[in-house]
């Protein structure tokens, strides 16, 4: 998670020439009215149905709106968000957050953990689920932002969100926590889970190393356990701009302990987890126009694509990123930094929303559509839900032009490509 909140940190310095100043509680944060007016003018759309809907180009791209809501809203569907927790008080999760089943799998032995988030799997400790940053809240509100007159509209606005914390305040998602979270999702027989993460400390787990092989086996076993209990697993493909079908080098692993990383050649016996675990729906990220500059690709890993945002595709504005909720208890300083950069919205009651990008933002769009399919077909197997998600996606052809020196080169035909899989997820098609 460290890499895909601010996408390398430098992105935060981009200022927004098209935004007008507005009074807000946090210096630099926009009011919903100002943000909505600026988005409506930029995209040429009307405001509504929610105060910030004009900013949600992502929902319009995947067919989310009154027509899809008339068919399905995720009602009765339980979606686990395996992430850094959720803001238990966020207005866009009001009525949709299942606090009773939410749980933290941050352990006393977990490196980088804040004492507040340690629960050791004791699900009675609800305070430990609270999002101390914002990433998990962004993901959860994208999936199930309520239609309640505040903030944004989610893909499945009536779905039940179960917050499952497996990532620490600084964004490390260690494999033992991720595996425990997946098993818990299976125990709870959740309908869908989203994992906008890779399991630390290895970006690629390679089978020729005994320790890495054991960790990968544990992750595979936990994912299989969840799937056998009906859980549809959706995961981000990753933000390293790699071709997962033809991996070459890994320069960031192991990312714990500090300064332990070594450059190593990785081959197809090495896998990113959870994106490359069997049966997992892997999601690449698209910007407003084409594949996002940071998105991993690769067949057969990538199943579908979804909006992840890419400000470079809308130069001079933040609107090409994804707007969704942020935590009221961000203790990392990112909220203040995003507000100062003009990438934050705050309402009069303290609700927070920010624009960020990543395959982390793409994956919950696909998880939301999977939740809609689950509502309409509650008895389908995870494999059947995945097949329907792919079948109803809007095919996307390889880009007409693409840099020749990019390691990611698009191949495939009309029905599937290495960049976009079966295509852009489509909520309307999936519910019609």
């Amino acid at each position: 998670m460290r890499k895909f909140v601010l996408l390398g940190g430098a992105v935060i310095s981009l200022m927004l020439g098209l935004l007008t100043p507005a009074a807000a509680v946090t210096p630099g944060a926009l009011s919903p009215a100002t943000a909505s007016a600026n988005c409506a003018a930029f995209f040429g759309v009307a405001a509504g149905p929610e105060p910030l809907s004009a900013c949600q180009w992502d929902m319009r791209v995947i067919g989310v709106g009154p027509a899809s809501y008339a068919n399905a809203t995720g009602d009765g569907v339980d979606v686990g968000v395996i992430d850094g927790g959720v803001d238990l008080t966020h207005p866009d999760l009001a009525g949709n957050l299942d606090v009773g089943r939410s749980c933290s799998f941050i352990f006393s032995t977990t490196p980088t953990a804040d004492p507040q988030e340690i629960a050791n799997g004791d699900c009675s400790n609800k305070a430990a689920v609270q999002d101390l940053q914002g990433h998990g809240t962004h993901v959860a509100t994208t999936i199930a932002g309520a239609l309640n007159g505040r903030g944004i509209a989610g893909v499945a606005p009536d779905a039940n969100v179960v917050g499952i914390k497996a990532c620490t305040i600084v964004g490390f998602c260690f494999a033992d926590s991720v595996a425990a979270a997946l098993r818990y999702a299976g125990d709870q027989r959740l309908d869908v889970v989203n994992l906008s993460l890779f399991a630390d400390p290895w970006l690629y787990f390679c089978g020729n190393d005994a320790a890495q092989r054991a960790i990968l086996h544990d992750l595979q076993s936990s994912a299989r356990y969840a799937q056998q209990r009906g859980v549809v697993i959706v995961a981000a493909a990753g933000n390293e701009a790699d071709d997962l079908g033809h991996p070459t080098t890994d320069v960031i692993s192991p990312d714990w302990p500090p300064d332990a990383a070594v450059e190593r050649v990785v081959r197809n016996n090495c896998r990113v987890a959870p994106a490359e675990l069997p049966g997992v729906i892997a999601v690449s990220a698209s910007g407003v126009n084409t594949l996002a500059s940071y998105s991993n690709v690769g067949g057969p890993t990538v199943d579908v694509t979804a909006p992840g945002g890419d400000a470079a595709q809308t130069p001079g504005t933040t609107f090409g990123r994804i707007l969704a909720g942020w935590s009221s208890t961000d203790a990392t300083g990112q909220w203040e930094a995003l507000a100062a950069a003009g990438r934050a919205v705050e309402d009069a009651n303290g609700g927070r929303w920010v624009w960020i990008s990543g395959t982390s933002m793409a994956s919950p769009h696909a998880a939301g559509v999977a939740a809609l399919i689950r509502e309409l077909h509650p008895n389908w197997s995870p494999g059947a839900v995945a097949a329907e998600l792919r079948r109803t996606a809007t095919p996307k052809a390889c880009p007409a032009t693409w840099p020749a020196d990019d390691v990611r080169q698009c191949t495939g035909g009309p029905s599937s490509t290495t960049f976009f899989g079966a295509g852009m997820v489509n909520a309307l098609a999936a519910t019609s």
Side-chain angles (χ1 to χ4, degrees):
M1 285 172 60
R2 298 158 304 294
K3 301 176 297 307
F4 45 62
V5 174
L6 297 181
L7 290 182
V11 180
I12 201 166
S13 66
L14 298 178
M15 300 305 288
L16 313 176
L18 298 185
L19 293 179
T20 55
V25 175
T26 302
L30 304 171
S31 71
T34 298
S36 178
N38 284 324
C39 289
F42 182 81
F43 289 113
V45 298
E50 291 293 276
L52 295 172
S53 291
C55 300
Q56 293 188 273
W57 65 270
D58 50 317
M59 297 300 173
R60 294 187 287 275
V61 164
I62 67 169
V64 171
S68 68
Y69 294 150
N71 297 330
T73 59
D75 187 31
V77 177
D78 298 322
V79 181
V81 175
I82 299 178
D83 211 291
V86 293
D87 184 350
L88 303 178
T89 66
H90 198 280
D92 263 325
L93 297 177
N96 288 353
L97 182 59
D98 187 342
V99 177
R101 290 200 286 171
S102 295
C103 193
S104 173
F105 291 92
I106 304 299
F107 305 113
S108 301
T109 55
T110 303
T112 77
D114 186 288
Q116 299 175 78
E117 55 192 357
I118 295 170
N120 294 304
D122 176 2
C123 298
S124 68
N125 184 354
K126 300 306 176 186
V129 179
Q130 178 66 22
D131 188 352
L132 301 181
Q133 187 230 44
H135 187 276
T137 301
H138 201 279
V139 167
T141 55
T142 298
I143 295 170
L147 300 177
N148 59 4
R150 291 185 71 182
I152 63 166
V155 179
D158 289 328
N160 304 314
V161 170
V162 179
I164 309 176
K165 182 176 283 195
C167 305
T168 70
I169 183 173
V170 293
F172 281 87
C173 313
F174 288 98
D176 58 342
S177 292
V178 174
L182 282 167
R183 290 191 180 94
Y184 180 73
D187 289 339
Q188 295 296 311
R189 297 188 181 272
L190 302 183
D191 295 297
V192 180
V193 295
N194 183 85
L195 297 101
S196 288
L197 57 88
F198 73 79
D200 296 293
W202 298 92
L203 172 60
Y204 288 91
F205 291 90
C206 295
N208 60 346
D209 179 276
Q212 293 172 51
R213 186 168 64 247
I215 296 172
L216 181 61
H217 177 77
D218 189 40
L219 289 166
Q220 290 173 329
S221 176
S222 63
R224 183 168 59 250
Y225 176 85
Q227 290 162 341
Q228 288 171 345
R229 282 151 183 78
V231 182
V232 178
I233 304 175
V234 183
N239 297 341
E240 291 72 40
D242 280 347
D243 182 348
L244 299 178
H246 302 88
T248 54
T249 59
D250 174 11
V251 298
I252 68 172
S253 301
D255 58 11
W256 188 266
D259 302 320
V262 294
E263 182 171 345
R264 60 185 182 141
V265 175
V266 293
R267 308 190 189 282
N268 281 327
N269 68 326
C270 304
R271 298 185 180 217
V272 174
E276 293 192 279
L277 297 180
V280 170
I281 300 167
V283 188
S284 67
S286 298
V288 171
N289 300 314
T290 189
L291 183 78
S293 57
Y294 51 81
S295 182
N296 286 352
V297 301
T301 299
V302 169
D303 291 280
V304 290
T305 195
D310 191 346
Q313 296 182 27
T314 54
T317 94
T318 194
F319 302 142
R321 299 181 176 95
I322 304 299
L323 183 66
W326 200 251
S327 180
S328 60
T329 55
D330 177 2
T332 67
Q334 291 190 69
W335 164 252
E336 290 79 8
L338 288 164
R343 289 169 53 184
V345 180
E346 189 170 15
D347 70 14
N349 295 310
R352 294 176 174 181
W353 298 263
V354 303
W355 280 278
I356 56 176
S357 301
T359 55
S360 285
M361 287 62 254
S363 184
H365 289 85
V369 178
L372 301 180
I373 296 170
R374 268 291 198 207
E375 178 187 350
L376 297 176
H377 306 283
N379 297 319
W380 278 11
S381 69
V385 173
E388 185 71 354
L389 187 71
R390 291 189 294 266
R391 186 190 70 81
T392 58
T394 304
K396 285 180 67 69
C398 288
T401 60
W402 191 257
D405 59 351
D406 195 317
V407 298
R408 304 166 299 170
Q409 293 297 314
C410 188
T411 61
S415 61
S416 182
T417 72
T418 54
F419 276 18
F420 308 115
M424 182 69 70
V425 295
N426 188 322
L428 185 57
T431 60
S432 296

